[in-house]
Amino acid sequence: MAEEEDTFKQTNLNSVRRLKERGHYDKTTVYDVVDEGFLAHVGFIDDSASDKTQSQPIVVPMLYGREGDSIFLHGSSAARVLKRLRTGIPVCINITLVDGIVMARSLFNHSMNYRSATVFGTAKLIENENDRIRALRVISEHLMKGRWDDAREPNEDEMMQTHVLEVKISSASAKIREGPPGDEDFDLADKKLVQNVWAGVLPIKTITESPIPDAHVPADLKPPQYLASFNIQDRNR
């Protein structure tokens, strides 16, 4: 039973079809990718136009936060994505982390090292005020732990302008590519090619630099400790 709860069932929806060995369905792997990311790409079909032949796939970048098997999203109540998702239509959310450029001896075998999580579900509008505040805190703390208790909380007018959604994750998978290029045997047997064309991986890491204050910050006001000591590599450990 525990194994079933810790793993997403493979279905036609979430199965990795190309290079199946790179697919992962355990929640630990999927949620590690989700929790490390900052920006999610939220996909849905917009068929709200009166002419249903004008249905259009839409993908919107959004901040998010995860709690258990739920992802929280928020935005302006006037935004199309919030208006459509609140109706309970299917939603697909992807978070991708780029780890390196894979440079092979042939152009065909160039690739990327990456970790990607794709989750599926439906969204519902959170209406209870305490639940809305809790969800907004989850999003804020995902972005920067400690910020919620430091900055001013949303006021009544701001809350009225904001929709907060909960996406219950019904299915998900991760796909991970790591390691060196996969050169063809005949390319590796080509001594001239091997001797003249460099191959390997150019690692890519996201780093942060020193905080830059805005024009209204007093000269003697230093960044808070959670910001001054922020290490992107450790944010979810």
Side-chain angles (χ1 to χ4, degrees):
M1 188 68 172
E3 183 178 351
E4 293 179 355
E5 294 175 349
D6 293 338
T7 303
F8 291 105
K9 181 181 179 181
Q10 278 189 251
T11 66
N12 287 333
L13 183 64
N14 72 337
S15 290
V16 174
R17 291 172 171 77
R18 177 80 176 117
L19 300 173
K20 296 180 180 180
E21 67 276 9
R22 297 180 183 174
H24 301 264
Y25 303 92
D26 61 288
K27 289 185 177 181
T28 297
T29 301
V30 172
Y31 289 162
D32 279 351
V33 175
V34 171
D35 293 344
E36 189 171 335
F38 284 101
L39 200 65
H41 288 89
V42 180
F44 62 99
I45 300 294
D46 183 10
D47 59 358
S48 59
S50 57
D51 181 359
K52 296 302 182 183
T53 64
Q54 298 301 312
S55 296
Q56 177 67 44
I58 304 291
V59 177
V60 180
M62 300 182 72
L63 298 176
Y64 66 95
R66 180 186 70 86
E67 184 178 70
D69 292 331
S70 294
I71 288 181
F72 297 116
L73 305 170
H74 82 299
S76 168
S77 56
R80 172 171 58 177
V81 58
L82 277 299
K83 286 182 176 180
R84 292 298 297 131
L85 293 187
R86 65 172 292 180
T87 65
I89 62 174
V91 58
C92 174
I93 301 174
N94 177 268
I95 296 99
T96 298
L97 311 171
V98 177
D99 295 322
I101 301 174
V102 181
M103 304 178 70
R105 290 171 177 83
S106 67
L107 293 173
F108 180 81
N109 282 316
H110 278 60
S111 187
M112 301 288 292
N113 281 343
Y114 64 90
R115 290 162 289 149
S116 176
T118 303
V119 305
F120 304 91
T122 55
K124 71 172 183 178
L125 183 68
I126 301 177
E127 300 189 76
N128 178 275
E129 196 66 13
N130 290 333
D131 291 340
R132 295 177 76 210
I133 290 293
R134 180 176 59 81
L136 289 173
R137 179 171 188 141
V138 169
I139 296 171
S140 175
E141 291 295 286
H142 174 73
L143 183 65
M144 177 62 65
K145 290 181 181 179
R147 191 60 175 174
W148 182 270
D149 292 328
D150 197 15
R152 175 181 66 79
E153 293 188 16
N155 59 35
E156 183 177 352
D157 183 58
E158 291 165 342
M159 291 297 292
M160 289 181 61
Q161 299 177 51
T162 303
H163 272 352
V164 186
L165 301 180
E166 178 182 9
V167 178
K168 284 284 191 181
I169 300 172
S170 59
S171 181
S173 61
K175 189 174 183 181
I176 298 174
R177 201 269 184 214
E178 55 189 357
D183 277 316
E184 307 294 343
D185 289 341
F186 58 80
D187 283 330
L188 294 175
D190 185 334
K191 293 182 179 180
K192 183 178 179 181
L193 188 66
V194 171
Q195 289 174 358
N196 289 280
V197 178
W198 187 94
V201 176
L202 177 65
I204 295 176
K205 292 187 180 296
T206 301
I207 64 170
T208 54
E209 298 183 340
S210 298
I212 302 173
D214 76 5
H216 303 286
V217 173
D220 61 346
L221 181 59
K222 303 302 180 184
Q225 183 59 33
Y226 60 79
L227 182 58
S229 62
F230 181 78
N231 184 338
I232 198 169
Q233 303 299 324
D234 298 332
R235 65 188 291 259
N236 292 308
R237 294 178 185 174

